[in-house]
Amino acid sequence: MSTANPQRVKERRRDRRNGHRVDGTPPKPAGPVGTGRERRGDLASQAIAPLKHFLTLREGSIIVITLITMIYFSVSVSGFFTAGNFKTLLPYFAPYAIMAAAEVFVMILGEIDLSIGAMYLFTPFWWHIIHHAGVPLYPSIILALMTSMAFGALNGLAVAYIGIASFVATLGMQFFLYGLTLVISHATPVLTPGTSQATINGFAQVFGGGTYSEFFWALGIVIILQIVLTLTRWGGYTIATGGNRNAAAEAGIRTRHIIVRNFILAACLAGFTGILESVRVTTMTPDPSGSGDILFQACAAAIIGGTLMTGGAGTVVGALFGALFLGVLHDGLIIKGVSANYLDLYLGIAIIIAMVANVYVSRVRRTAGHG
């Protein structure tokens, strides 16, 4: 049986009185008052950091506003969140999304294309004439779109090389195409080529006649254009040209070619959207007022989606959600039974609110250093 060392026992007692551990090492210093509270605050900050980052994205504000609008109508209107209503909603907003995506590439340059509504109206009638002249269905679509691209090139040449303001150049093209459409159509509705009012054939199923075909076209085009804008030289040169055209030219970017190319893209997609819509409704009516409405809706979708009219920044995905917001708002107000006299009033108020949110988010982005 061993006996403890008296000296060692005294040292242990002294250590306990001084607050030291049994092995003689000093204890860890106590944390300052409030450490636990600060730690909880840090955890809370880390938890909401992804939300703050999301809201500072260009698309963040319009996505949140769209979701809030959908939740509101889902709660207040029984028939909103149904499969039948989505069959109506998706074809409604898809054309706006395609044309808004095209307009984004023009607006990033600091320009605007007012002729896309007239191009949307003209191209289906020109396609009808080409097809009835004996050209097969698909080649006639290609020729019609090539004609639209030629008009888009004229817009780009007028802006980039002659120096005409895009507002004036495309406004003139708009009136020209409206008049040309009325002349070639004789102001008479016609049946869309390749369609039937009785059945939906395979061609119509793909090119707008199917329930969700326009939505899938819109989704595919938006994805492709967003990739082009963010991951290719074309997109980078577009942003650089819109941000500072002189500096971009001095850096070796062929800014005039970029301008012409983007106007061609806008005209092509506007004409293609017109073809999709004409196939969906199976008839074409030469109505400039309807195409004027889709022009303003597309421009509004691009702007509230986060694209700057001053140029240098924009997002195709934001244009998609901007179009979805307008579609949800229009659809929800109609289901809610709002009078047609008040419909545009409420749409205008909602667009202004969405723009205020975008301006606020833009300021937060600049403060946070996101540009």
Side-chain angles (χ1 to χ4, degrees), residues 29-360:
V33 177
T35 299
R37 186 181 304 169
E38 291 176 359
R39 186 179 297 112
R40 288 193 295 272
D42 292 341
L43 292 175
S45 300
Q46 293 174 4
I48 65 174
L51 178 60
K52 287 183 177 179
H53 176 71
F54 175 77
L55 289 176
T56 56
L57 296 175
R58 292 198 180 279
E59 307 88 351
S61 61
I62 190 60
I63 292 176
V64 171
I65 292 172
T66 302
L67 290 176
I68 292 173
T69 306
M70 294 181 71
I71 293 172
Y72 167 74
F73 284 122
S74 299
V75 173
S76 62
V77 182
S78 59
F80 179 80
F81 206 80
T82 61
N85 184 50
F86 280 108
K87 287 183 179 180
T88 304
L89 172 63
L90 295 179
Y92 175 82
F93 95 91
Y96 300 142
I98 298 174
M99 295 181 66
E103 192 72 40
V104 164
F105 272 73
V106 176
M107 286 186 173
I108 290 177
L109 297 172
E111 310 290 351
I112 191 169
D113 190 347
L114 298 178
S115 68
I116 58 173
M119 202 75 68
Y120 163 90
L121 180 67
F122 162 77
T123 305
F125 284 97
W126 184 239
W127 169 44
H128 177 270
I129 291 175
I130 295 174
H131 179 64
H132 280 269
V135 180
L137 194 61
Y138 293 102
S140 64
I141 292 177
I142 295 173
L143 290 175
L145 292 178
M146 290 178 66
T147 305
S148 299
M149 294 168 69
F151 284 124
L154 290 177
N155 284 335
L157 291 171
V159 173
Y161 288 90
I162 300 177
I164 302 175
S166 59
F167 183 92
V168 177
T170 58
L171 183 63
M173 181 63 72
Q174 179 192 64
F175 284 118
F176 171 77
L177 291 175
Y178 280 155
L180 183 59
T181 302
L182 293 173
V183 169
I184 65 176
S185 66
H186 305 287
T188 304
V190 295
L191 183 67
T192 304
T195 64
S196 171
Q197 293 181 333
T199 59
I200 300 178
N201 56 30
F203 167 79
Q205 192 75 28
V206 174
F207 285 90
T211 304
Y212 300 110
S213 61
E214 278 190 291
F215 170 72
F216 288 124
W217 276 110
L219 197 61
I221 289 171
V222 165
I223 291 173
I224 292 172
L225 291 185
Q226 182 67 25
I227 292 173
V228 169
L229 183 62
T230 56
L231 299 178
T232 69
R233 288 185 178 180
W234 181 2
Y237 290 170
T238 295
I239 295 173
T241 301
N244 190 324
R245 192 167 300 177
N246 292 330
E250 292 175 358
I253 298 174
R254 303 169 74 180
T255 56
R256 291 180 174 179
H257 288 200
I258 294 295
I259 293 171
V260 174
R261 186 185 301 175
N262 288 10
F263 274 100
I264 291 174
L265 173 66
C268 179
L269 288 180
F272 182 67
T273 305
I275 291 175
L276 291 178
E277 276 290 278
S278 65
V279 172
R280 183 179 70 86
V281 299
T282 69
T283 58
M284 297 180 285
T285 303
D287 179 18
S289 63
S291 59
D293 179 70
I294 197 172
L295 160 67
F296 292 117
Q297 295 273 12
C299 290
I303 294 168
I304 66 178
T307 299
L308 301 180
M309 291 190 69
T310 53
T315 164
V316 182
V317 173
L320 171 69
F321 279 96
L324 178 60
F325 167 72
L326 294 176
V328 168
L329 189 63
H330 185 273
D331 185 59
L333 290 175
I334 290 177
I335 296 176
K336 202 172 177 63
V338 173
S339 171
N341 297 330
Y342 292 90
L343 193 58
D344 286 341
L345 173 66
Y346 291 142
L347 284 171
I349 293 173
I351 290 173
I352 292 173
I353 292 174
M355 280 306 304
V356 170
N358 272 346
V359 170
Y360 174 75

